[in-house]
Amino acid sequence: MQNSLDKISSLANIADSKKNLAKGVGSGDFSKVLENTISEVNHAQQTGDKAMADIATGEVKDLHQAAIAIDKAEISMKLMLEVRNKALSAYKEIARTQL
């Protein structure tokens, strides 16, 4: 029962963070949005690292949740790298533009 409540609470927190992210985008404060996103990716990486360590030491209680945490960390890192690549590509394109 407690695990279900934790999952519901976690989903509510994710929904709230997405609402706050949308508010940040609308206000034009790009640096705060970027900082929050990097913080979330870092948190996912730390959670994934802890899950891997728990699997390695045999302390894992729920293998499925550990696998999900690891996959979430991997996907969030890939997404962040793709966004970075697109931003660098856009910067290089703008830099090549002659005025």
Side-chain angles (χ1 to χ4, degrees), residues 37-85:
T37 304
I38 291 172
S39 175
E40 288 178 15
V41 170
N42 185 41
H43 178 69
Q45 290 296 313
Q46 290 173 345
T47 304
D49 288 345
K50 183 176 179 342
M52 280 194 277
D54 287 348
I55 289 172
T57 59
E59 296 176 9
V60 68
K61 292 183 173 93
D62 187 3
L63 185 60
H64 296 291
Q65 290 298 325
I68 289 170
I70 293 167
D71 285 343
K72 183 178 178 181
E74 180 183 0
I75 290 169
S76 65
M77 180 60 80
K78 285 181 179 180
L79 176 63
M80 186 182 74
L81 289 174
E82 286 300 318
V83 169
R84 182 206 62 174
N85 292 341

Side-chain angles (χ1 to χ4, degrees), residues 5-33:
L5 292 176
D6 290 339
K7 288 179 185 178
I8 292 171
S9 176
S10 175
L11 290 174
N13 289 339
I14 291 170
D16 288 340
S17 68
K18 287 184 179 186
K19 286 178 187 176
N20 291 337
L21 181 63
K23 288 178 186 175
V25 170
S27 68
D29 198 358
F30 181 73
S31 64
K32 291 223 186 270
V33 172

